Amino acid sequence: MNAIPSEKIDTPEIDENLAAVSEVEAGIRDFVRNDIAYLRRPSTGASTGTETPAAAAPSFDASAEATVSNVNSLIQRVAGTSLAEIENLIGELEALRDLLHAEGQRVQREISGYAQLSQQAMKSTRMIADNVSQWKRSAENLRNG
């Protein structure tokens, strides 16, 4: 049998998917950087001494919670679409596997039927050849005798 050479399948599509994934990852990074950029900056209120650390903590927790909520919702939207596509792909692959299995069984049954038919044809041909040779011998005996 001839071996099928390995080759890359749908290279442009894979490149597009990788580009889309990279773009989404870059978007998430930018979003997170922009949302938490204020955490890196020193607060101006703390230097005046008018704010107490206890008063700053609730606003920090609320803004951090909002940031986490925003990131979570973004990830859920991106992951939700990807997961739905993956689940659809898995379903299609399972259906294809079942189809290939059923077709393989059908081909095996047909090959078995053809093999039996071929054996019967060979037996019939042998019987006919034997009968013809007997008739030929009988005809020769009648001519010679």
Side-chain angles (χ1 to χ4, degrees):
M1 282 189 154
N2 293 338
I4 299 173
S6 62
E7 57 186 55
K8 287 188 176 180
I9 301 173
D10 297 331
T11 302
E13 186 175 304
I14 292 172
D15 291 343
E16 290 174 8
N17 288 343
L18 289 175
V21 168
S22 297
E23 186 177 321
V24 168
E25 287 176 351
I28 291 172
R29 271 190 238 105
D30 290 343
F31 178 76
V32 170
R33 281 186 196 130
N34 290 338
D35 263 5
I36 63 169
Y38 68 91
L39 295 176
R40 292 188 203 139
R41 292 185 210 127
S43 64
T44 55
S47 63
T48 60
T50 57
E51 283 188 40
T52 61
S59 66
F60 173 74
D61 287 341
S63 62
E65 244 179 78
T67 301
V68 169
S69 176
N70 289 339
V71 170
N72 283 341
S73 67
L74 178 65
I75 290 173
Q76 285 175 354
R77 284 185 296 196
V78 171
T81 304
S82 297
L83 286 176
E85 288 178 17
I86 290 170
E87 287 175 1
N88 288 338
L89 182 60
I90 288 171
E92 290 175 13
L93 288 173
E94 287 174 345
L96 184 59
R97 181 194 61 206
D98 294 342
L99 174 70
L100 288 174
H101 183 70
E103 285 298 305
Q105 288 179 339
R106 181 187 63 80
V107 168
Q108 285 179 348
R109 284 191 306 269
E110 288 187 17
I111 289 172
S112 175
Y114 287 132
Q116 290 175 356
L117 184 62
S118 176
Q119 288 175 354
Q120 290 173 357
M122 291 291 287
K123 286 179 184 178
S124 298
T125 304
R126 260 190 235 117
M127 287 176 59
I128 292 170
D130 290 343
N131 287 337
V132 168
S133 67
Q134 285 177 2
W135 291 342
K136 189 175 179 181
R137 274 187 253 128
S138 297
E140 287 178 6
N141 287 340
L142 286 175
R143 284 187 206 158
N144 294 335

